[in-house]
Amino acid sequence: YGKPHKNFLGVFLGLAAESDSSENGLALGLEYERLLSPSIGLGAVVERTFDDLESWSYIAPVAYHTVHWKFYVGPGIEDPDDHDSEFLVRVGVEYGIDINGWELAPQFDIDFVDGDEVYVFGFVLGKPF
């Protein structure tokens, strides 16, 4: 695989929806990842969800990379505006497309939190460095 850069910083824009309700909202986030090897990375995600799902999420994913695909899982905290924080686990996948040194990546995540699932779909635009 051999990415030439060890760091990645990106901005996420997407939608989040709870699986067992009609609640949904716009999701905005910042993502950072440090490659520990050509195929393994450690990251940090801060994400804000608006509308029906007013909350912050903080996640520390571990990622496995292939040429374009990235698969990840990580623990985190969901901090909703209307009640106490809850533990979550995020599982996700994305497909990175190189555009003149930038990366555009469609992304799909499932957050398992308090017996519910929240589906998050969107795009990351970022820069390896």
Side-chain angles (χ1 to χ4, degrees):
Y1 173 59
K3 278 190 173 179
H5 302 93
K6 292 198 174 274
N7 299 289
F8 177 83
L9 186 61
V11 176
F12 175 80
L13 173 63
L15 297 172
E18 282 192 353
S19 63
D20 64 348
S21 74
S22 62
E23 293 185 346
N24 57 59
L26 176 70
L28 298 174
L30 288 176
E31 301 187 4
Y32 170 78
E33 184 179 17
R34 170 78 177 175
L35 287 177
L36 303 177
S37 76
S39 59
I40 303 295
L42 270 179
V45 175
V46 176
E47 197 170 275
R48 175 69 180 166
T49 306
F50 299 92
D51 306 315
D52 299 334
L53 302 174
E54 297 281 342
S55 67
W56 287 93
S57 295
Y58 309 96
I59 303 137
V62 175
Y64 174 76
H65 293 264
T66 65
V67 174
H68 292 281
W69 290 98
K70 175 177 159 182
F71 304 92
Y72 47 93
V73 62
I77 299 288
E78 181 185 79
D79 188 16
D81 291 354
D82 62 354
H83 61 277
D84 292 338
S85 299
E86 298 169 325
F87 178 77
L88 71 80
V89 173
R90 174 169 282 187
V91 176
V93 60
E94 68 180 51
Y95 185 85
I97 302 163
D98 181 54
I99 302 172
N100 294 325
W102 289 81
E103 184 174 292
L104 178 64
Q107 183 181 96
F108 177 71
D109 306 320
I110 302 173
D111 291 348
F112 298 93
V113 56
D114 194 31
D116 293 324
E117 288 114 35
V118 177
Y119 303 115
V120 184
F121 175 77
F123 293 88
V124 175
L125 177 62
K127 181 79 172 154
F129 62 98

